[in-house]
Amino acid sequence: MEKKEKILAAIPCYNEEATVGSVVLKARQHVNEVLVIDDGSADDTAKIAEDAGATVVRHEHNRGKAAGIKEAFRYAIKHDYDIVVTIDGDGQHDADEIPQILIPLVSDEADLAIGFRHGQRTEMPFWRKMGKRTLDYATGVGAKKITDSQCGFRAFNKKAVEKMATRLRGNGFSVESEQLVLAKENGLRIAEVNVSCRYRNLNSSKKNPFTHGPSVLAYVIWLVAERRPLLFIGVPGMGLIIVGIFFGIHTIRHYNQHNDFLMSYALGASLFLIVGSLAVLMSLLLNILPHIIQRSRES
């Protein structure tokens, strides 16, 4: 593929000395520049990346993957790149597939191309597939339904980079889900490209999956709830109010029939009604406030 556009490959890394060199060498064949964001590595990741021909930005301390992605977007804007390709430095993605993931952007069919790991070209373990599917469904509530919402192998055109550079707020691995939510909010076109991935003989996970997965899921739920408060806070609040009313009616009926006041039911009714009312009120405020703030900025 002819490189008419100015393309930057961004590789966020943390202790990837064993694999980052080969990823950089492959990526350099398909882009104008490779940027490695060394996120506080304690090994020789930065040196090996530089020796392989990458531009390296170093963080003194580990700040999370999202910080590296935001750094790459700012760099791309500053140096006027047309496309940014993000790829993991642990070797699970094949950098020789960069031309493949660029096709939807080069042909102007999409603003954001996302790799999806599926079929015989993936070595993803079963437990990873289950965790990925859970996050796919959670992300799909607040964004367009994507086959693989957590794949870090992506390509962004200039419009997508500019829309996301100042709006990404997370710091960890939830950045992939947050990008999809922002893409939907900003009307960005999304294409999916089947890519391969390699897990065998890789010690690529820097996080305990049993703590990492739930932490990402918690952030995704909050991210979506923040943007759809009526659904995630208001509806459960109404449910609590209904339960509280049921408990209250049962308490009154029981007292009228047996002259016996059910204190536990009365307390339960009060608790459900108070919490439910607060949830509904909070959802209304969270739904209205962004519109008020936006109108005040416009005026």
Side-chain angles (χ1 to χ4, degrees):
M1 178 184 298
E2 296 182 2
K3 298 194 294 290
K4 295 181 180 179
E5 290 81 5
K6 190 178 178 184
I7 304 170
L8 173 72
I11 309 175
C13 289
Y14 178 61
N15 291 340
E16 305 291 4
E17 63 177 9
T19 53
V20 67
S22 60
V23 176
V24 170
L25 289 172
K26 282 187 177 182
R28 287 183 60 199
Q29 300 176 44
H30 309 291
V31 301
N32 298 92
E33 183 181 6
V34 177
L35 176 69
V36 169
I37 304 92
D38 179 24
D39 194 27
S41 296
D43 60 7
D44 290 329
T45 293
K47 182 180 183 304
I48 292 174
E50 286 179 344
D51 291 344
T55 300
V56 177
V57 174
R58 298 201 66 178
H59 294 166
E60 283 296 320
H61 307 286
N62 184 260
R63 293 161 53 187
K65 184 177 182 180
I69 297 296
K70 287 184 279 189
E71 186 89 42
F73 284 174
R74 289 192 294 268
Y75 185 93
I77 293 172
K78 180 179 179 180
H79 294 85
D80 196 30
Y81 277 96
D82 299 302
I83 295 176
V84 176
V85 177
T86 60
I87 184 169
D88 292 347
D90 58 10
Q92 69 165 283
H93 304 140
D94 185 358
D96 281 332
E97 294 179 352
I98 287 177
Q100 181 177 322
I101 206 165
L102 290 174
I103 291 174
L105 274 63
V106 174
S107 60
D108 196 30
E109 297 176 5
D111 303 302
L112 168 59
I114 300 176
F116 70 93
R117 302 159 291 182
H118 180 72
Q120 295 181 348
R121 302 175 68 197
T122 177
E123 299 173 353
M124 188 181 297
F126 176 76
W127 57 271
R128 279 186 179 268
K129 291 181 181 179
M130 295 298 294
K132 181 186 78 67
R133 182 56 60 192
T134 300
L135 293 172
D136 289 344
Y137 284 122
T139 303
V141 175
K144 178 183 176 183
K145 185 71 171 64
I146 297 297
T147 305
D148 188 354
S149 67
Q150 303 307 302
C151 183
F153 194 4
R154 302 183 172 192
F156 306 78
N157 66 9
K158 184 176 292 187
K159 178 182 177 182
V161 170
E162 291 175 347
K163 291 290 185 181
M164 295 185 184
T166 59
R167 292 176 173 86
L168 289 171
R169 295 182 300 172
N171 291 317
F173 284 85
S174 57
V175 63
E176 279 86 12
S177 293
E178 189 174 7
Q179 288 171 351
L180 295 177
V181 173
L182 290 174
K184 181 178 180 180
E185 288 183 354
N186 290 280
L188 300 178
R189 299 165 299 164
I190 300 177
E192 297 185 81
V193 179
N194 190 206
V195 297
S196 60
C197 73
R198 184 169 65 95
Y199 281 95
R200 294 173 187 171
N201 301 320
L202 285 180
N203 186 24
S204 60
S205 179
K206 303 296 185 300
K207 300 281 187 178
N208 184 328
F210 298 104
T211 58
H212 166 60
S215 68
V216 174
L217 179 60
Y219 185 83
V220 170
I221 291 174
W222 170 248
L223 185 68
V224 177
E226 187 181 24
R227 286 161 170 77
R228 303 183 67 180
L230 292 179
L231 175 63
F232 276 82
I233 302 176
V235 172
M238 285 300 300
L240 291 175
I241 290 174
I242 292 172
V243 173
I245 292 173
F246 173 80
F247 273 44
I249 291 174
H250 180 76
T251 302
I252 294 172
R253 283 183 176 177
H254 186 84
Y255 180 80
N256 290 335
Q257 293 175 1
H258 305 284
N259 198 29
D260 179 28
F261 188 73
L262 297 175
M263 182 60 71
S264 59
Y265 273 78
L267 290 174
S270 301
L271 179 63
F272 285 126
L273 288 171
I274 292 172
V275 174
S277 299
L278 289 174
V280 171
L281 178 61
M282 184 183 299
S283 70
L284 291 173
L285 289 174
L286 289 174
N287 189 62
I288 295 172
L289 281 176
H291 300 287
I292 296 176
I293 295 172
Q294 183 176 358
R295 288 182 181 178
S296 65
R297 286 177 177 174
E298 292 174 353
S299 60

